Short mmCIF file of all heavy atoms in Angstrom, two decimals:
data_model
loop_
_atom_site.label_atom_id
_atom_site.label_comp_id
_atom_site.label_asym_id
_atom_site.label_seq_id
_atom_site.Cartn_x
_atom_site.Cartn_y
_atom_site.Cartn_z
N ALA A 2 -159.61 -109.36 88.72
CA ALA A 2 -159.55 -108.34 87.68
C ALA A 2 -160.13 -108.82 86.36
O ALA A 2 -160.76 -108.07 85.63
CB ALA A 2 -158.10 -107.89 87.47
N GLN A 3 -159.89 -110.10 86.06
CA GLN A 3 -160.43 -110.64 84.81
C GLN A 3 -161.94 -110.50 84.78
O GLN A 3 -162.51 -110.03 83.78
CB GLN A 3 -160.03 -112.10 84.65
CG GLN A 3 -160.63 -112.73 83.40
CD GLN A 3 -160.15 -114.16 83.20
OE1 GLN A 3 -159.24 -114.60 83.85
NE2 GLN A 3 -160.78 -114.86 82.30
N ALA A 4 -162.60 -110.89 85.85
CA ALA A 4 -164.06 -110.81 85.91
C ALA A 4 -164.53 -109.36 85.82
O ALA A 4 -165.45 -109.02 85.08
CB ALA A 4 -164.57 -111.46 87.19
N ILE A 5 -163.88 -108.47 86.59
CA ILE A 5 -164.29 -107.07 86.64
C ILE A 5 -164.12 -106.40 85.28
O ILE A 5 -165.04 -105.75 84.77
CB ILE A 5 -163.49 -106.31 87.71
CG1 ILE A 5 -163.92 -106.78 89.11
CG2 ILE A 5 -163.70 -104.81 87.57
CD1 ILE A 5 -163.09 -106.19 90.22
N GLU A 6 -162.96 -106.56 84.66
CA GLU A 6 -162.70 -105.85 83.42
C GLU A 6 -163.53 -106.40 82.26
O GLU A 6 -163.95 -105.65 81.38
CB GLU A 6 -161.20 -105.86 83.11
CG GLU A 6 -160.42 -105.05 84.12
CD GLU A 6 -158.95 -104.90 83.81
OE1 GLU A 6 -158.42 -105.67 82.98
OE2 GLU A 6 -158.33 -104.00 84.39
N LYS A 7 -163.80 -107.70 82.26
CA LYS A 7 -164.69 -108.25 81.26
C LYS A 7 -166.09 -107.66 81.40
O LYS A 7 -166.74 -107.31 80.42
CB LYS A 7 -164.76 -109.77 81.36
CG LYS A 7 -163.54 -110.50 80.82
CD LYS A 7 -163.60 -111.98 81.07
CE LYS A 7 -164.71 -112.65 80.29
NZ LYS A 7 -164.69 -114.12 80.46
N GLU A 8 -166.55 -107.53 82.63
CA GLU A 8 -167.88 -106.98 82.87
C GLU A 8 -167.94 -105.50 82.49
O GLU A 8 -168.93 -105.04 81.92
CB GLU A 8 -168.26 -107.15 84.35
CG GLU A 8 -168.45 -108.58 84.77
CD GLU A 8 -169.69 -109.20 84.14
OE1 GLU A 8 -170.59 -108.45 83.73
OE2 GLU A 8 -169.76 -110.43 84.06
N ILE A 9 -166.88 -104.75 82.80
CA ILE A 9 -166.87 -103.32 82.50
C ILE A 9 -166.93 -103.09 81.00
O ILE A 9 -167.71 -102.28 80.50
CB ILE A 9 -165.63 -102.65 83.11
CG1 ILE A 9 -165.78 -102.56 84.63
CG2 ILE A 9 -165.40 -101.26 82.52
CD1 ILE A 9 -164.54 -102.15 85.35
N LEU A 10 -166.12 -103.82 80.24
CA LEU A 10 -166.10 -103.60 78.80
C LEU A 10 -167.33 -104.18 78.12
O LEU A 10 -167.77 -103.65 77.09
CB LEU A 10 -164.83 -104.17 78.17
CG LEU A 10 -163.72 -103.10 78.03
CD1 LEU A 10 -163.15 -102.75 79.39
CD2 LEU A 10 -162.63 -103.56 77.09
N SER A 11 -167.91 -105.24 78.66
CA SER A 11 -169.11 -105.79 78.04
C SER A 11 -170.35 -105.01 78.42
O SER A 11 -171.37 -105.06 77.73
CB SER A 11 -169.30 -107.25 78.46
OG SER A 11 -169.59 -107.35 79.84
N GLY A 12 -170.26 -104.25 79.54
CA GLY A 12 -171.40 -103.44 79.96
C GLY A 12 -172.46 -104.19 80.73
O GLY A 12 -173.52 -103.66 81.01
N GLN A 13 -172.20 -105.45 81.10
CA GLN A 13 -173.21 -106.25 81.78
C GLN A 13 -173.30 -105.91 83.27
O GLN A 13 -174.37 -105.77 83.81
CB GLN A 13 -172.93 -107.74 81.59
CG GLN A 13 -172.95 -108.17 80.13
CD GLN A 13 -174.25 -107.81 79.44
OE1 GLN A 13 -175.32 -108.13 79.94
NE2 GLN A 13 -174.17 -107.15 78.31
N GLY A 14 -172.15 -105.84 83.93
CA GLY A 14 -172.14 -105.38 85.31
C GLY A 14 -172.52 -106.41 86.35
O GLY A 14 -172.52 -106.10 87.53
N SER A 15 -172.82 -107.64 85.98
CA SER A 15 -173.33 -108.60 86.95
C SER A 15 -172.28 -109.07 87.94
O SER A 15 -172.61 -109.56 89.01
CB SER A 15 -173.91 -109.81 86.22
OG SER A 15 -172.93 -110.43 85.41
N ALA A 16 -170.98 -108.94 87.62
CA ALA A 16 -169.93 -109.42 88.52
C ALA A 16 -169.32 -108.30 89.35
O ALA A 16 -168.37 -108.51 90.07
CB ALA A 16 -168.83 -110.10 87.71
N ILE A 17 -169.88 -107.11 89.24
CA ILE A 17 -169.31 -105.96 89.93
C ILE A 17 -170.08 -105.72 91.22
O ILE A 17 -171.30 -105.61 91.23
CB ILE A 17 -169.37 -104.69 89.07
CG1 ILE A 17 -168.64 -104.92 87.75
CG2 ILE A 17 -168.79 -103.50 89.79
CD1 ILE A 17 -168.79 -103.79 86.76
N SER A 18 -169.36 -105.68 92.35
CA SER A 18 -169.99 -105.37 93.61
C SER A 18 -169.82 -103.89 93.89
O SER A 18 -168.99 -103.22 93.29
CB SER A 18 -169.37 -106.20 94.73
OG SER A 18 -167.98 -105.91 94.84
N GLY A 19 -170.64 -103.38 94.82
CA GLY A 19 -170.56 -101.95 95.11
C GLY A 19 -171.65 -101.19 94.39
O GLY A 19 -172.72 -101.71 94.09
N ALA A 20 -171.40 -99.92 94.10
CA ALA A 20 -172.40 -99.07 93.47
C ALA A 20 -171.88 -98.52 92.15
O ALA A 20 -170.69 -98.26 92.00
CB ALA A 20 -172.76 -97.91 94.40
N LEU A 21 -172.79 -98.35 91.21
CA LEU A 21 -172.47 -97.79 89.91
C LEU A 21 -173.01 -96.37 89.88
O LEU A 21 -174.20 -96.14 90.06
CB LEU A 21 -173.10 -98.63 88.80
CG LEU A 21 -172.89 -98.15 87.37
CD1 LEU A 21 -171.43 -98.32 86.97
CD2 LEU A 21 -173.79 -98.93 86.42
N THR A 22 -172.13 -95.39 89.66
CA THR A 22 -172.53 -93.99 89.65
C THR A 22 -173.21 -93.64 88.33
O THR A 22 -172.66 -93.88 87.26
CB THR A 22 -171.31 -93.07 89.85
OG1 THR A 22 -170.68 -93.40 91.08
CG2 THR A 22 -171.75 -91.61 89.91
N ILE A 23 -174.41 -93.08 88.41
CA ILE A 23 -175.10 -92.60 87.21
C ILE A 23 -174.55 -91.23 86.86
O ILE A 23 -174.53 -90.32 87.70
CB ILE A 23 -176.62 -92.55 87.43
CG1 ILE A 23 -177.15 -93.97 87.68
CG2 ILE A 23 -177.31 -91.92 86.24
CD1 ILE A 23 -178.66 -94.04 87.88
N LEU A 24 -174.08 -91.09 85.63
CA LEU A 24 -173.44 -89.86 85.17
C LEU A 24 -174.39 -89.05 84.30
O LEU A 24 -175.34 -89.59 83.72
CB LEU A 24 -172.18 -90.20 84.37
CG LEU A 24 -171.13 -91.04 85.08
CD1 LEU A 24 -170.02 -91.44 84.10
CD2 LEU A 24 -170.55 -90.27 86.26
N PRO A 25 -174.14 -87.73 84.16
CA PRO A 25 -174.97 -86.91 83.27
C PRO A 25 -175.01 -87.45 81.84
O PRO A 25 -176.03 -87.33 81.16
CB PRO A 25 -174.27 -85.54 83.32
CG PRO A 25 -173.62 -85.50 84.65
CD PRO A 25 -173.17 -86.92 84.92
N ALA A 26 -173.92 -88.11 81.40
CA ALA A 26 -173.88 -88.65 80.04
C ALA A 26 -174.93 -89.74 79.84
O ALA A 26 -175.40 -89.95 78.71
CB ALA A 26 -172.50 -89.21 79.74
N HIS A 27 -175.31 -90.44 80.92
CA HIS A 27 -176.34 -91.47 80.78
C HIS A 27 -177.70 -90.87 80.45
O HIS A 27 -178.59 -91.57 79.97
CB HIS A 27 -176.45 -92.28 82.08
CG HIS A 27 -175.23 -93.08 82.39
ND1 HIS A 27 -174.64 -93.10 83.64
CD2 HIS A 27 -174.45 -93.87 81.61
CE1 HIS A 27 -173.57 -93.89 83.61
NE2 HIS A 27 -173.44 -94.36 82.39
N LEU A 28 -177.86 -89.57 80.73
CA LEU A 28 -179.14 -88.90 80.52
C LEU A 28 -179.11 -87.90 79.37
O LEU A 28 -180.04 -87.13 79.19
CB LEU A 28 -179.55 -88.15 81.81
CG LEU A 28 -179.65 -89.00 83.08
CD1 LEU A 28 -179.79 -88.10 84.29
CD2 LEU A 28 -180.84 -89.95 82.99
N LYS A 29 -178.03 -87.92 78.59
CA LYS A 29 -177.86 -86.87 77.59
C LYS A 29 -178.90 -86.92 76.48
O LYS A 29 -179.21 -85.92 75.86
CB LYS A 29 -176.45 -86.93 76.99
CG LYS A 29 -176.13 -88.22 76.24
CD LYS A 29 -174.69 -88.23 75.79
CE LYS A 29 -174.32 -89.56 75.14
NZ LYS A 29 -172.89 -89.59 74.75
N ASN A 30 -179.46 -88.11 76.22
CA ASN A 30 -180.56 -88.22 75.27
C ASN A 30 -181.33 -89.50 75.58
O ASN A 30 -180.91 -90.32 76.40
CB ASN A 30 -180.06 -88.21 73.82
CG ASN A 30 -179.01 -89.27 73.54
OD1 ASN A 30 -179.20 -90.44 73.87
ND2 ASN A 30 -177.89 -88.87 72.96
N GLU A 31 -182.47 -89.66 74.93
CA GLU A 31 -183.34 -90.80 75.22
C GLU A 31 -182.67 -92.13 74.88
O GLU A 31 -182.82 -93.12 75.60
CB GLU A 31 -184.64 -90.66 74.43
CG GLU A 31 -185.67 -91.72 74.76
CD GLU A 31 -187.00 -91.49 74.06
OE1 GLU A 31 -187.19 -90.39 73.51
OE2 GLU A 31 -187.83 -92.42 74.07
N LEU A 32 -181.88 -92.14 73.78
CA LEU A 32 -181.20 -93.37 73.38
C LEU A 32 -180.20 -93.82 74.44
O LEU A 32 -180.12 -95.00 74.79
CB LEU A 32 -180.49 -93.15 72.04
CG LEU A 32 -179.66 -94.35 71.51
CD1 LEU A 32 -180.57 -95.54 71.25
CD2 LEU A 32 -178.92 -93.95 70.23
N ALA A 33 -179.42 -92.87 74.97
CA ALA A 33 -178.42 -93.21 75.99
C ALA A 33 -179.08 -93.75 77.25
O ALA A 33 -178.61 -94.74 77.84
CB ALA A 33 -177.58 -91.97 76.31
N TRP A 34 -180.17 -93.12 77.69
CA TRP A 34 -180.83 -93.55 78.92
C TRP A 34 -181.52 -94.91 78.73
O TRP A 34 -181.46 -95.77 79.60
CB TRP A 34 -181.83 -92.50 79.38
CG TRP A 34 -182.58 -92.86 80.64
CD1 TRP A 34 -183.91 -92.91 80.82
CD2 TRP A 34 -182.00 -93.21 81.91
NE1 TRP A 34 -184.21 -93.28 82.10
CE2 TRP A 34 -183.07 -93.46 82.79
CE3 TRP A 34 -180.69 -93.34 82.36
CZ2 TRP A 34 -182.86 -93.84 84.12
CZ3 TRP A 34 -180.48 -93.72 83.70
CH2 TRP A 34 -181.56 -93.96 84.56
N THR A 35 -182.15 -95.11 77.58
CA THR A 35 -182.78 -96.40 77.30
C THR A 35 -181.75 -97.51 77.27
O THR A 35 -181.97 -98.61 77.80
CB THR A 35 -183.54 -96.35 75.96
OG1 THR A 35 -184.55 -95.33 76.02
CG2 THR A 35 -184.19 -97.69 75.65
N SER A 36 -180.60 -97.24 76.65
CA SER A 36 -179.53 -98.23 76.60
C SER A 36 -179.04 -98.57 78.00
O SER A 36 -178.81 -99.74 78.33
CB SER A 36 -178.37 -97.70 75.75
OG SER A 36 -177.26 -98.56 75.80
N PHE A 37 -178.89 -97.56 78.85
CA PHE A 37 -178.43 -97.79 80.23
C PHE A 37 -179.44 -98.64 80.99
O PHE A 37 -179.07 -99.62 81.65
CB PHE A 37 -178.24 -96.44 80.93
CG PHE A 37 -177.81 -96.55 82.36
CD1 PHE A 37 -176.47 -96.64 82.69
CD2 PHE A 37 -178.74 -96.59 83.39
CE1 PHE A 37 -176.06 -96.76 84.01
CE2 PHE A 37 -178.35 -96.71 84.72
CZ PHE A 37 -177.00 -96.79 85.02
N LYS A 38 -180.71 -98.31 80.89
CA LYS A 38 -181.75 -99.06 81.62
C LYS A 38 -181.81 -100.51 81.17
O LYS A 38 -181.92 -101.42 81.99
CB LYS A 38 -183.11 -98.39 81.42
CG LYS A 38 -183.27 -97.07 82.14
CD LYS A 38 -184.72 -96.60 82.10
CE LYS A 38 -185.16 -96.30 80.68
NZ LYS A 38 -186.56 -95.78 80.66
N ASN A 39 -181.74 -100.72 79.87
CA ASN A 39 -181.81 -102.08 79.35
C ASN A 39 -180.62 -102.93 79.80
O ASN A 39 -180.75 -104.13 80.04
CB ASN A 39 -181.87 -102.06 77.82
CG ASN A 39 -183.18 -101.52 77.29
OD1 ASN A 39 -184.17 -101.47 78.02
ND2 ASN A 39 -183.19 -101.09 76.04
#
């Protein structure tokens, strides 16, 4: 849990296995989508 929750709040995602669902909010504007991709 320590690894997972640190990754979730930091937004890095490298320690999370499985799939990450892309939500409509990720595409709500160019800034949000660019941030997600980066």
